[in-house]
Amino acid sequence: MIGNDIIDLRLTRVESNWQRKGFLEKLFTTFEQSLIYNSENPEQMVWHLWSRKEAAYKIYHRETKIRAFIPKQIECFSLPLADDFSLGKVGIADQEYFTKTEVTSEFIYATAVVNLKDFDKIQTINSNEIAKDSDGIPFHVNTKNPVSISHHGRFERKITLDCNVQSRF
Amino acid sequence: MENNQIIEQLKSIIKPYVNDAEAMSNLTESTDFITDLKINSANLVDIVLDVEEAFKIDIDNESMAKMLTVEATINIIKSKLHQQ
């Protein structure tokens, strides 16, 4: 299973005001809020954490079919040895997912997987390789493997898991 | 407060966040904020905060979890107003 989320930082400044009263309190756990307040770049940390929550929720939604706006129940955790936060864990109810996050000055991009070794199997695909099931959930036309699509502003990412790739882990 | 009064106020709250203008003009109680109106999920929290301000209510996490459709939002607003 796979999930991704891309955030166009230029668009997000137009769409959202993360400094709005109540915004952080409604979306982030106490631990996550402390990461934001202690960050040298709070804005970047807000969207870093949010993209991880979104990517993990996509897997959770597919696995459980539960749809809910539960940002504080989707908890980001740090992993030891990952000081730059590029690799992390996200917990939702009794589920746990791994996330990888790419942070640039223009966008933040998170991918989520169930098993650490799946990061090596992520492949970028084209629109013509994607079909959707009756719930609107995308899958790969040939392999039937799960697909995740994220589009925001100037950026789009379409990925699948290629199960033929041997993992390094 | 009647449903149609709440709906009118809710429409003006969600309008700035809607990315599908046509779906907005066909809005009914069953309209879904994300799948129909294409509202960015990060903006759902703005709708929650705007609703809290406009109706002078507090929306707890449990209620917020359900706030994905117009109907669910109306029900939450009504029950919170009723509790006051």
Side-chain angles (χ1 to χ4, degrees):
Chain A
M1 210 49 100
I2 194 169
N4 71 347
D5 190 61
I6 194 152
I7 293 173
D8 182 334
L9 289 172
R10 201 185 289 174
L11 181 58
T12 227
R13 280 179 202 127
V14 179
E15 287 180 340
S16 293
N17 172 16
W18 64 270
Q19 286 166 307
R20 172 179 190 182
K21 187 172 176 283
F23 187 93
L24 297 179
E25 289 78 5
K26 287 243 188 267
L27 294 185
F28 297 102
T29 64
T30 314
F31 170 67
E32 292 161 355
Q33 288 180 47
S34 74
L35 291 178
I36 293 165
Y37 292 129
N38 293 319
S39 169
E40 283 175 17
N41 189 340
E43 181 200 31
Q44 201 174 68
M45 184 57 81
V46 165
W47 300 114
H48 166 108
L49 293 168
W50 182 252
S51 67
R52 283 169 60 185
K53 284 173 187 263
E54 285 277 315
Y57 173 78
K58 282 186 185 172
I59 303 186
Y60 176 76
H61 166 57
R62 287 175 189 201
E63 287 184 336
T64 62
K65 304 283 175 207
I66 295 171
R67 260 193 93 217
F69 185 48
I70 45 167
K72 287 176 87 161
Q73 289 177 50
I74 308 172
E75 297 187 71
C76 294
F77 300 103
S78 304
L79 280 182
L81 305 175
D83 295 341
D84 60 352
F85 298 102
S86 61
L87 189 64
K89 249 186 194 177
V90 175
I92 310 177
D94 54 353
Q95 306 293 315
E96 261 191 354
Y97 308 105
F98 292 99
T99 57
K100 245 185 194 178
T101 320
E102 185 185 351
V103 177
T104 74
S105 58
E106 294 297 317
F107 68 84
I108 293 184
Y109 179 53
T111 47
V113 294
V114 177
N115 301 303
L116 211 44
K117 60 183 186 319
D118 288 343
F119 281 127
D120 284 345
K121 300 176 184 171
I122 293 177
Q123 288 207 329
T124 299
I125 52 171
N126 297 317
S127 300
N128 60 9
E129 295 174 87
I130 300 169
K132 286 186 179 174
D133 70 13
S134 54
D135 292 326
I137 296 192
F139 63 93
H140 193 280
V141 279
N142 299 327
T143 64
K144 312 292 181 215
N145 286 332
V147 163
S148 187
I149 305 166
S150 183
H151 176 236
H152 190 232
R154 297 164 290 162
F155 304 103
E156 186 174 49
R157 294 285 188 278
K158 301 185 278 278
I159 55 169
T160 191
L161 280 183
D162 184 343
C163 297
N164 295 318
V165 174
Q166 286 297 317
S167 168
R168 292 181 282 129
F169 291 96
Chain B
M1 208 184 261
E2 298 299 320
N3 274 19
N4 55 358
Q5 267 181 288
I6 297 176
I7 270 207
E8 285 313 308
Q9 211 168 339
L10 190 56
K11 270 187 189 171
S12 64
I13 288 174
I14 60 183
K15 201 170 175 231
Y17 310 112
V18 169
N19 287 311
D20 188 329
E22 203 188 322
M24 183 68 190
S25 62
N26 299 321
L27 185 129
T28 66
E29 288 198 12
S30 65
T31 300
D32 188 290
F33 293 146
I34 293 176
T35 57
D36 295 323
L37 300 179
K38 313 291 181 219
I39 291 173
N40 189 324
S41 55
N43 284 136
L44 283 185
V45 72
D46 290 304
I47 293 176
V48 174
L49 293 169
D50 290 348
V51 165
E52 284 188 332
E53 279 170 27
F55 295 92
K56 298 187 173 51
I57 53 175
D58 283 320
I59 295 169
D60 51 283
N61 292 335
E62 203 181 318
S63 301
M64 190 168 91
K66 300 177 205 143
M67 273 184 64
L68 294 171
T69 65
V70 171
E71 186 180 22
T73 306
I74 292 171
N75 289 339
I76 289 160
I77 293 168
K78 282 167 82 174
S79 88
K80 297 292 175 192
L81 286 173
H82 187 71
Q83 281 167 22
Q84 285 177 350

